[in-house]
Amino acid sequence: ARFACYAVALSLMCGLVQLGLGVFNLGFIVEYISYPVISGFTSAAAITIAVGQLHSLLGLDLTGTNFTSQRTFISDVYENCRYIAYLTPSDLICGLVCIVILVSFKEMKGYMDNWRAPSIYSPFDYVLRQVIWLVTTARNAVVVIGATLIAFSLRQAGYEYMTLVENLTPGVPALVVPTLNSTVVEEVGLGIVLVPMIGILESIAIAKAFGRKNGYRICASQEILALGLANIVGSFVQAFPVTGSFSRTAVNSQSGVASQIGGIYTGILVLLAL
């Protein structure tokens, strides 16, 4: 509960810093960040995130152990290797199968995008092509839903083969004013500066990458302003600091989303799920 309180407070502070940068039109500073720097950052972030999720992929049964997820890359690798004997084979198999399916669907999507359709083809071929396009474009959702249904079916049949997420509290979070005092600020420390900067860097990296791909320019100050407002509003519903998402942006781009209506649609689905 204490760390959750810090995360919510950090979201508010992060939003205030980003809002200030956006209001004073300081987004031009980001323009001096070169593509090699952005590429290095995103690659390092991907590796760090992957290692941080390694214990979940291996299905390490850590009940009664002293395992702690570390904040450093080397420590995480060491801890996972140290407790490798506690892995759950069914979780590992499920994770690897999901990875193979995702990679296969991605390659299939690339093939379908580059495939030249014949001048004349049957309605069945057209429908099949559209179905394959839909499944491969929404591959993340397809894999998650499929794995969820399999895990649910196994549990209903009395087989506890895979580690499942515990029950989540339903309902929309209540509006709560974040706790912000000297103790929280002291505990968060340099995170007040680092987290907003990392969030800005990641968002601008995504925006630049897809702007370069699709032929449009971005206004960095506008991006930072929107990010700051999102974090401020989110902190009042107990959200942690947010930034742009590589995977979600890629799915939106491949799905033809070209306006903010896509975000509204996603938000409505999330609210309905809650």
Side-chain angles (χ1 to χ4, degrees):
R2 180 166 62 93
F3 290 112
C5 177
Y6 292 163
V8 173
L10 180 58
S11 179
L12 176 59
M13 292 184 284
C14 181
L16 292 173
V17 171
Q18 292 167 338
L19 182 64
L21 293 174
V23 168
F24 289 103
N25 200 29
L26 297 177
F28 72 91
I29 298 175
V30 185
E31 296 296 331
Y32 294 99
I33 301 176
S34 64
Y35 281 107
V37 172
I38 293 175
S39 177
F41 167 77
T42 53
S43 299
I47 295 172
T48 303
I49 292 171
V51 171
Q53 297 299 314
L54 194 57
H55 69 278
S56 298
L57 174 64
L58 296 174
L60 298 181
D61 184 5
L62 304 171
T63 306
T65 67
N66 295 322
F67 179 89
T68 54
S69 184
Q70 304 296 316
R71 295 185 179 180
T72 63
F73 175 82
I74 296 177
S75 297
D76 260 338
V77 173
Y78 170 75
E79 288 290 309
N80 282 286
C81 294
R82 179 184 177 190
Y83 291 100
I84 193 67
Y86 293 89
L87 69 83
T88 305
S90 55
D91 285 350
L92 178 59
I93 293 173
C94 178
L96 292 177
V97 169
C98 289
I99 291 174
V100 170
I101 293 174
L102 283 172
V103 173
S104 300
F105 280 0
K106 180 180 179 181
E107 293 298 321
M108 190 182 300
K109 176 66 167 57
Y111 173 78
M112 293 297 293
D113 289 340
N114 297 323
W115 179 67
R116 294 184 177 180
S119 56
I120 300 177
Y121 52 90
S122 67
F124 175 78
D125 292 335
Y126 175 79
V127 172
L128 180 61
R129 176 177 169 79
Q130 295 303 312
V131 170
I132 293 175
W133 178 87
L134 178 63
V135 171
T136 53
T137 300
R139 54 187 175 273
N140 294 333
V142 171
V143 170
V144 170
I145 293 173
T148 301
L149 291 175
I150 293 173
F152 175 77
S153 301
L154 290 174
R155 168 162 283 196
Q156 291 298 105
Y159 298 104
E160 301 286 344
Y161 287 133
M162 289 182 286
T163 305
L164 304 181
V165 177
E166 298 298 327
N167 294 329
L168 301 178
T169 304
V172 179
L175 289 173
V176 179
V177 178
T179 302
L180 194 59
N181 51 45
S182 58
T183 303
V184 174
V185 173
E186 183 180 350
E187 287 290 333
V188 173
L190 289 176
I192 300 175
V193 178
L194 294 179
V195 173
M197 293 300 104
I198 292 174
I200 290 172
L201 180 58
E202 185 168 350
S203 290
I204 298 302
I206 297 169
K208 278 190 171 184
F210 283 89
R212 193 178 185 184
K213 176 182 178 181
N214 298 312
Y216 61 82
R217 293 182 62 84
I218 65 167
C219 175
S221 294
Q222 181 179 333
E223 296 287 334
I224 296 171
L225 185 64
L227 189 60
L229 288 173
N231 278 315
I232 292 174
V233 174
S235 68
F236 287 90
V237 289
Q238 307 169 53
F240 57 81
V242 298
T243 184
S245 168
F246 285 99
S247 57
R248 189 163 60 248
T249 304
V251 171
N252 281 343
S253 177
Q254 294 172 1
S255 302
V257 176
S259 72
Q260 289 80 3
I261 295 178
I264 296 175
Y265 177 75
T266 303
I268 291 174
L269 289 180
V270 172
L271 288 174
L272 291 176
L274 292 173

